[in-house]
Amino acid sequence: MSFKRWLVAALLVAVAWADPEPVDPVTYRQVERNGGTDIYIFNRLGCDMTVTIEFTENQNVRGTPPIPCSKTVPGHQEVFMTRVTSIDPRQAWKFRYSYFWNYGSLEAHHDDSVVYSLPYASGSSMSIIQGFHGQFSHTGDDEYALDFSFASGTPVLAAREGVVVSVEERYSQGGATPYFRTRVNAVRIRHSDGTIGEYDHFRLNGVEVEEGQTVRRGDLIGYSGSTGFSSGPHLHFCVYSTYDGHRRHSYPIRFQVAGSPAPVELQQGGRYAAP
Ligand SMILES: [Zn+2]
């Protein structure tokens, strides 16, 4: 390998090292009290987070309320989740647990009368490269997600008004391997019905809004890229609410498109112009 090639390889490694590790939006705290353990969850973000606590190991113990237990933790607050005590104090007991989180409140329900705006400039067109139930990755929680054919660096506009509840823009890379699932530049916007609109794969430092900011539909929120779980530049957009800390419920939303008076459900392979 020539020196120049070696230098390029060294620079690529340096870029990889520059990408930060994901930071959990919630943390736990436990208090030993009167022979039991109280478990609390703190939410460091400004938006509601829904958290589920589960035993990974349990012998002669119970939770009050029972485990698994799910609660919505308001932004910047700590919530008591559950208390673990022995069932028979004369017998040996032990436990371990894990916690899982999702963005948004258990109380959110999508207003199906809402018609969304295409997330790109008026007059431009994009294709749907993966639609609802797309086989590559639009299954399970993401069954009603849409992938738009954004070239890298294209302005991404808000599809619906709301409040920005989380922003990530520190990642530089992407790929179609599980490693990248939690390493995506993303914007999440909470709508008035409590649902979350998630926009994924922005380029490094490509987000133009801040947490807590109110946005109108059509406002610029950032520039597209291919960070996170992605095989090429595009915009992934999904509207969801949460069942618990594990599972989300995504919604089959409709859009206003040029040339159609009625709202449209976008189809994979279709190409749509923004009015
Ligand atoms: Zn997608």
Side-chain angles (χ1 to χ4, degrees), residues 130 137-138 145-147 201 234 236:
Q130 190 183 191
S137 60
H138 292 175
L146 294 164
D147 288 341
H201 311 303
H234 72 285
H236 169 102

Side-chain angles (χ1 to χ4, degrees), residues 237-249:
F237 179 60
C238 189
V239 175
Y240 58 80
S241 59
T242 182
Y243 282 120
D244 58 26
H246 279 295
R247 294 172 311 137
R248 295 177 308 181
H249 178 109

Side-chain angles (χ1 to χ4, degrees), residues 6-22 170-174 179-180 183 204:
W6 181 86
L7 190 66
V8 168
L11 283 173
L12 286 174
V13 168
V15 167
W17 283 349
D19 272 7
E21 283 301 304
R170 300 172 301 156
Y171 295 107
S172 64
Q173 301 178 89
Y179 172 85
F180 289 107
R183 292 167 169 84
L204 174 67

Side-chain angles (χ1 to χ4, degrees), residues 115-126 148 157-159 217-219 254-264 266 271-275:
V115 179
Y116 288 74
S117 298
L118 290 167
Y120 41 89
S122 176
S124 63
S125 299
M126 298 261 183
F148 292 92
L157 313 184
R217 61 173 65 209
D219 283 354
R254 296 167 305 150
F255 288 81
Q256 199 68 57
V257 307
S260 169
V264 169
L266 308 184
R271 190 169 177 84
Y272 301 94

Side-chain angles (χ1 to χ4, degrees), residues 28 39 41 51-57 67-69 81 95-101 246:
Y28 78 100
I39 302 172
I41 292 287
V51 178
T52 297
I53 288 191
E54 288 179 5
F55 281 129
T56 53
E57 183 183 7
I67 295 173
C69 114
M81 293 293 291
F95 69 95
R96 289 165 169 272
Y97 62 93
S98 288
Y99 56 97
F100 305 87
W101 61 84
H246 279 295

